[in-house]
Amino acid sequence: MDHNDRPDIDETDVAILKRVERDADVNLADLAAELELSKSAVHYRLTKLKDEDVITSISADVDPLALGLEMVVITEVSVAHESGYADEIGHALAEIDGVFQVYYTMGDVDFIVHSRVQNREQMNDLIDEIVTIDGVNETASTFVMKELQTNPKTVANMSTEMIENVVDGTE
Amino acid sequence: MDHNDRPDIDETDVAILKRVERDADVNLADLAAELELSKSAVHYRLTKLKDEDVITSISADVDPLALGLEMVVITEVSVAHESGYADEIGHALAEIDGVFQVYYTMGDVDFIVHSRVQNREQMNDLIDEIVTIDGVNETASTFVMKELQTNPKTVANMSTEMIENVVDGTE
DNA sequence: AATGAAATCGACCAGCA
DNA sequence: TGCTGGTCGATTTCATT
């Protein structure tokens, strides 16, 4: 760990992360060959990255379309500011079925809520649920026509500059 | 596959998906025990789900904070409508380093862009890059103060009704 | 869908830089 | 602290019923 309480990570770690965030099914031997390292070195680093919670989990990515979740809706939510229940409202929003992401923002809007549903009826129900939450003032929903990139990855989207900052520990 | 070109999925499949989307590191024997199935049955279903692309990949989830990506920015992008280059612009947006999600919407705004950066300078650079894209008219960025739920999962966020629709093949 | 055998893989170790 | 190479046990995988 460095002075910022963030794990020390070097180029090799980044290479490993990039690879396993794309496909964690790869076996140790192949990974080791790709990185020109020994199996045990890769194993050692992988367990370290997991221990340090750089890798938080290994998960199967499920295609929403395969389950009929064809609609993505973005809802802007404004709350009654005097209430001061921002935290509770955020949690209530996150717990609604279909909601997969909730952002608490600094903008004119307080929350931005992302949800996935199968049809218009579910969409209406979901928006109703949001409005029903105590403290919610106003909502505005936008229908997503197309989403580029369904499974956002962390390392894959980083610039070389961002990666350098991590490797150096210079931020 | 059903008449909708969507794979046939039953309750057992859903149970498997729910489990491996949370933790794909689980070994077959444990999974089989949990579901009260034989190892081979689970193995058979898992490979089927992968073949059918219900499971698109097994991936390691990397914590953005561990890599210093402490800022999330949401940018609304409007384009010059006469241009009709929506697709190209969408791709250009998605390719910018730091951008992890691009939605093409039906609202007053054309694109909603999500990005993760390490500091304000990178945020400014990123917004500059967006503005520079040919056809981009106007942008408005919002800073995210807090994100509830960092790794959105598909099945975990579905209601029982949504799941029933999948299992029955009734949509 | 279950069985069991064969192949493969990941975990671990002692030793070393 | 991080790496090597090798061994052993566990686990996946597959042919057969």
Side-chain angles (χ1 to χ4, degrees), chain A residues 57-78:
Chain A
S57 55
I58 307 289
S59 62
D61 301 316
V62 178
D63 181 12
L65 292 179
L67 303 184
L69 295 163
E70 315 215 350
M71 298 171 67
V72 175
V73 186
I74 298 180
T75 309
E76 298 178 335
V77 177
S78 301

Side-chain angles (χ1 to χ4, degrees), chain A residues 107-146:
Chain A
D108 1 280
V109 173
D110 298 295
F111 292 98
I112 295 181
V113 178
H114 294 213
S115 38
R116 246 180 242 284
V117 293
Q118 292 165 332
N119 51 50
R120 282 224 313 270
E121 200 198 322
Q122 289 176 4
M123 183 180 104
N124 286 330
D125 291 350
L126 191 143
I127 294 172
D128 277 350
E129 274 198 76
I130 293 179
V131 178
T132 304
I133 293 174
D134 208 53
V136 166
N137 236 1
E138 218 187 317
T139 69
S141 290
T142 305
F143 185 76
V144 171
M145 299 203 55
K146 197 164 156 186

Side-chain angles (χ1 to χ4, degrees), chain A residues 44-104:
Chain A
Y44 175 78
R45 280 166 180 268
L46 267 176
T47 47
K48 211 182 79 167
L49 289 167
K50 286 178 192 169
D51 280 350
E52 293 171 337
D53 278 324
V54 177
I55 294 176
T56 53
S57 55
I58 307 289
S59 62
D61 301 316
V62 178
D63 181 12
L65 292 179
L67 303 184
L69 295 163
E70 315 215 350
M71 298 171 67
V72 175
V73 186
I74 298 180
T75 309
E76 298 178 335
V77 177
S78 301
V79 307
H81 272 290
E82 323 82 44
S83 71
Y85 294 130
D87 256 33
E88 287 84 40
I89 296 176
H91 266 100
L93 289 168
E95 263 160 28
I96 296 175
D97 288 327
V99 170
F100 64 91
Q101 184 64 279
V102 177
Y103 292 124
Y104 180 48

Side-chain angles (χ1 to χ4, degrees), chain A residues 148, chain B residues 79 85-95 99 102 104 111 133:
Chain A
L148 291 85
Chain B
V79 306
Y85 294 130
D87 255 33
E88 286 86 39
I89 296 176
H91 266 99
L93 289 168
E95 264 160 28
V99 170
V102 177
Y104 180 48
F111 292 98
I133 294 174

Side-chain angles (χ1 to χ4, degrees), chain A residues 10-22:
Chain A
D10 64 13
E11 296 89 349
T12 308
D13 289 322
V14 173
I16 293 177
L17 290 174
K18 209 170 197 163
R19 185 64 175 80
V20 294
E21 116 175 318
R22 180 163 56 84

